[in-house]
Amino acid sequence: MATELSTALLQQIANEYGTPVYVYDADKIKEQYKRLITAFNTDKVRFFYACKALTNINILKVLKNEGCNIDCSSINEVKLALYAGFEPKNILYTSNGIGFEEIEEAQSLGVIINIDSLSNLEKFGKKFGNSYPVGVRLRPNILAGGHLKISTGHDKSKFGIPVEQLDLLKAVVQQYDIQLTNLHIHTGSDIKDADIFLKGIAVLFDIIPHFPHLKSVDLGGGFKVAYKEDDPYLNIEELAVKVLQAFEAHERTRHLQIWFEPGKFLVSECGYFITKVNVLKETATTTFAGVNSGFNHLIRPMFYDAYHRIENITNPQGAIKEYTVTGNICETDTFAWSRPLPEVREGDLLVFRNAGAYGFEMSSNYNSRFKPAEVLVESGKPRLIRKRDVFEDLLRNQIIDTE
Ligand SMILES: *Cc1c(COP(=O)(O)O)cnc(C)c1O
């Protein structure tokens, strides 16, 4: 199968940099990007890495050097992308629920903008008229994704301009002579079925003829990867064939570029989160393995009921027993209920797989614990790309009366 970091290397990294620690495999990120390029095999299609999944500058640079573009969800992500060396024309800012000042700032930085509300589009039209091309995010009213919390295109979702408001959208575009060059949808995360994208495309095909300046259609991200051994995942090769066929079949859509914004697909599987077992606790019903982490470092299991594979890399040959793996935070922070694992002993290293996307990025200092370190492995060589917090980090920005 695909590239993986060896247990020996993960152990070495844990020894050298301590735990908990996030480890990323640059070769895996490159491999995923190449899979996309190979599957689509046309310069009609552009990929923008949805960087909110993992924004460490070193990771952004890996993707930039591969030729990937970048999708940002805040003005600060736009600034990180510029800092990492992306050119403004390769940076997409897909905003939602933001103040108009942020859109003005993005415009002044020269990046590509997708606007998510009629209200901001109107302000944009008033200020910039036809002088700066812009895209809009639509809400296609399609339910997609692995969990309601990560579904963004359904008919109660806050995201995008609802397609039933097409007439209002057209009116704003006409009134200010807006150069509407891109239509965007992003229906959710963990989409395993290529046909969901075809449904979105069908909705867009009805809207495309209304906007003569269109140059591209942006189908968002949300490509599902496997979290469990036998998890279904989105078949990229099938997606490529189906999407390209759909656009070829319509005279009006053949000239359009097709954009995607994968986050998880590019950086989920590259990530390993290494923790150490602090305490074992036997109770009448349960054996708890308490690790030196919690939802302050990896919140996906608690927030989205997400499943992460766990490996005991210290005792891989141990007899299989069931453990409930918990953290050390004063909340119920259970990573896994009754999970079969090779016998766990205090001090063993437990590794959470698929920890690259929305892992470190969603971490916090809750319970005044330090955020973990981050290590990047490139061509087999590890290097520290973020130091673990130290005590001063907890006090930074606090205003302390010393009298
Ligand atoms: C989060 C997000 C993505 C990426 O989603 P993944 O599930 O990580 O692929 C893409 N586009 C937009 C607009 C997003 O908000």
Side-chain angles (χ1 to χ4, degrees):
M1 226 195 61
T3 0
E4 292 205 9
L5 297 184
S6 72
T7 298
L9 182 60
L10 293 172
Q11 265 160 346
Q12 180 199 321
I13 290 170
N15 285 341
E16 192 168 341
Y17 301 102
T19 61
V21 60
Y22 274 97
V23 183
Y24 312 115
D25 177 8
D27 293 345
K28 180 66 186 169
I29 300 175
K30 295 177 197 170
E31 177 183 304
Q32 290 295 91
Y33 182 65
K34 291 207 177 87
R35 270 186 67 197
L36 292 177
I37 297 296
T38 310
F40 283 85
N41 192 27
T42 161
D43 55 13
K44 235 178 115 64
V45 176
R46 286 178 82 187
F47 297 99
F48 295 79
Y49 166 49
C51 74
K52 72 177 192 287
L54 179 59
T55 55
N56 188 297
I57 292 290
N58 298 273
I59 300 290
L60 303 190
K61 284 185 178 167
V62 167
L63 281 158
K64 183 185 75 74
N65 292 340
E66 291 301 296
C68 192
N69 309 290
I70 189 162
D71 175 48
C72 302
S73 52
S74 76
I75 196 72
N76 291 337
E77 284 185 359
V78 169
K79 290 175 187 172
L80 287 175
L82 289 166
Y83 186 87
F86 285 89
E87 290 180 53
K89 66 175 166 49
N90 299 329
I91 301 175
L92 174 59
Y93 178 28
T94 303
S95 61
N96 92 83
I98 59 164
F100 184 61
E101 322 77 64
E102 230 180 272
I103 295 179
E104 285 177 296
E105 198 175 351
Q107 189 275 343
S108 75
L109 295 172
V111 302
I112 315 167
I113 302 171
N114 282 329
I115 293 182
D116 154 280
S117 68
L118 285 174
S119 145
N120 271 332
L121 187 66
E122 186 150 17
K123 291 175 197 156
F124 191 90
K126 251 185 210 147
K127 173 129 192 206
F128 302 110
N130 65 7
S131 69
Y132 198 91
V134 74
V136 290
R137 178 173 188 164
L138 297 170
R139 193 188 74 188
N141 301 341
I142 294 170
L143 184 60
H147 190 291
L148 192 58
K149 281 188 189 161
I150 51 175
S151 296
T152 52
H154 59 83
D155 66 359
K156 304 252 178 338
S157 164
K158 69 164 186 173
F159 293 96
I161 301 168
V163 284
E164 61 273 20
Q165 293 179 1
L166 176 62
D167 287 344
L168 295 173
L169 172 60
K170 277 171 70 179
V172 174
V173 167
Q174 268 153 22
Q175 184 178 355
Y176 300 101
D177 192 23
I178 292 171
Q179 303 288 299
L180 190 72
T181 51
N182 182 40
L183 291 179
H184 170 277
I185 55 172
H186 170 69
T187 52
S189 199
D190 283 352
I191 300 173
K192 56 179 188 285
D193 184 358
D195 290 339
I196 293 288
F197 286 89
L198 294 187
K199 271 197 197 174
I201 290 169
V203 172
L204 287 173
F205 279 179
D206 289 338
I207 297 177
I208 287 167
H210 296 273
F211 300 105
H213 299 298
L214 284 180
K215 291 201 167 68
S216 53
V217 165
D218 179 348
L219 301 174
F223 306 172
K224 183 169 180 357
V225 296
Y227 277 76
K228 297 180 195 176
E229 302 284 358
D230 51 1
D231 232 5
Y233 55 88
L234 184 72
N235 182 327
I236 296 297
E237 290 72 26
E238 178 194 344
L239 178 76
V241 170
K242 287 185 166 174
V243 167
L244 292 175
Q245 267 174 6
F247 278 81
E248 264 318 300
H250 292 260
E251 188 57 45
R252 273 213 168 92
T253 59
R254 271 183 214 158
H255 71 288
L256 294 173
Q257 278 198 0
I258 305 164
W259 297 357
F260 287 104
E261 303 162 347
K264 227 175 240 179
F265 180 85
L266 289 170
V267 298
S268 168
E269 292 162 296
C270 80
Y272 301 73
F273 181 48
I274 314 178
T275 64
K276 191 160 83 189
V277 178
N278 279 340
V279 258
L280 279 178
K281 190 182 279 184
E282 294 276 359
T283 70
T285 56
T286 314
T287 305
F288 292 99
V291 299
N292 61 351
S293 182
F295 71 39
N296 50 328
H297 297 155
L298 178 64
I299 201 172
R300 299 187 71 259
M302 305 83 187
F303 198 35
Y304 305 121
D305 303 318
Y307 181 101
H308 285 264
R309 269 187 297 143
I310 302 174
E311 287 164 4
N312 181 351
I313 62 167
T314 313
N315 190 25
Q317 307 303 334
I320 301 291
K321 285 177 61 180
E322 274 187 8
Y323 297 88
T324 288
V325 181
T326 54
N328 57 8
I329 293 302
C330 292
E331 304 273 347
T332 299
D333 57 351
T334 305
F335 288 108
W337 301 91
S338 309
R339 180 75 63 87
L341 290 173
E343 186 188 356
V344 175
R345 297 130 344 153
E346 292 185 356
D348 283 359
L349 296 175
L350 297 189
V351 175
F352 293 77
R353 299 293 300 269
N354 281 54
Y358 310 105
F360 181 89
E361 208 55 34
M362 287 182 150
S363 67
S364 75
N365 288 112
Y366 186 46
N367 277 203
S368 295
R369 294 210 169 267
F370 300 150
K371 287 199 194 182
E374 292 179 291
V375 168
L376 181 63
V377 179
E378 243 178 320
S379 312
K381 282 203 198 63
R383 70 173 205 273
L384 191 64
I385 56 168
R386 182 191 299 267
K387 291 189 261 186
R388 183 181 312 287
D389 279 352
V390 291
F391 187 68
E392 288 68 41
D393 292 314
L394 301 179
L395 292 173
R396 194 164 17 148
N397 296 335
Q398 295 196 46
I399 297 177
I400 296 158
D401 188 350
T402 48
E403 271 180 35

